[in-house]
Amino acid sequence: MTGVLVLKRVFDARVRGIRWVEIIGAVLVAVMVLSVYVAKAAAARESARIGELEREIAENRQRVRLLRAEISRLEQPGRLEALSRAAGLGPVDVRRQTKEAEIGTIVTAPAPAPKPAPVVTPAPTSPAAEAAAVAAAVAGGQR
């Protein structure tokens, strides 16, 4: 029965005319309102992020479609044939074809020797410029 008396005392206790239960209830309602507001703001942020990601996905799908169209245009046989003709390429002569077993006997051409690096010589100078440079070097050495 003492528990009932304690509970009755809490319900009857007042702070400036307001019961403790009413104060605690008001605080709990305020916390619930605040938590709902925070959850709603977080959901709005997530919704905006989802919308942004969906737009990026749509843009990437469009890019993939464009790239696939570009690949199919670049791989057209007529275009490749025209490019090979322009480069001087043609079909392999029948006499130059070999069988799979004879591939090891084919002699390949040796790799070309590397070209030597060009020698860079300084630009010729006039005798007057050379004399001025020598005079400057001598004057610098005497200081």
Side-chain angles (χ1 to χ4, degrees):
M1 187 118 144
T2 59
V4 173
L5 289 176
V6 171
L7 195 58
K8 185 172 178 10
R9 244 188 256 156
V10 168
F11 279 108
D12 289 339
R14 295 176 181 250
V15 175
R16 296 187 183 200
I18 301 174
R19 292 184 187 150
W20 278 104
V21 173
E22 293 169 353
I23 294 173
I24 292 171
V27 168
L28 289 176
V29 167
V31 168
M32 284 176 37
V33 167
L34 183 65
S35 65
V36 167
Y37 174 76
V38 169
K40 189 175 178 181
R45 278 193 307 269
E46 290 299 319
S47 176
R49 178 73 178 137
I50 289 170
E52 179 183 325
L53 290 174
E54 286 176 349
R55 280 189 299 278
E56 286 179 18
I57 289 170
E59 290 173 4
N60 286 337
R61 283 184 181 151
Q62 179 65 24
R63 279 190 226 140
V64 167
R65 281 194 299 269
L66 290 174
L67 289 173
R68 285 186 177 152
E70 181 72 10
I71 287 171
S72 64
R73 184 187 69 81
L74 292 175
E75 290 180 346
Q76 288 177 348
R79 180 184 170 280
L80 294 176
E81 186 178 338
L83 287 174
S84 65
R85 271 196 231 116
L89 302 175
V92 176
D93 187 20
V94 176
R95 293 172 293 204
R96 292 194 49 116
Q97 293 181 355
T98 187
K99 295 185 173 124
E100 185 178 345
E102 298 171 355
I103 290 179
T105 62
I106 297 175
V107 178
T108 58
K115 295 180 182 177
V119 177
V120 178
T121 57
T125 58
S126 67
E130 287 181 18
V134 170
V138 170
Q142 290 179 353
R143 287 184 189 174

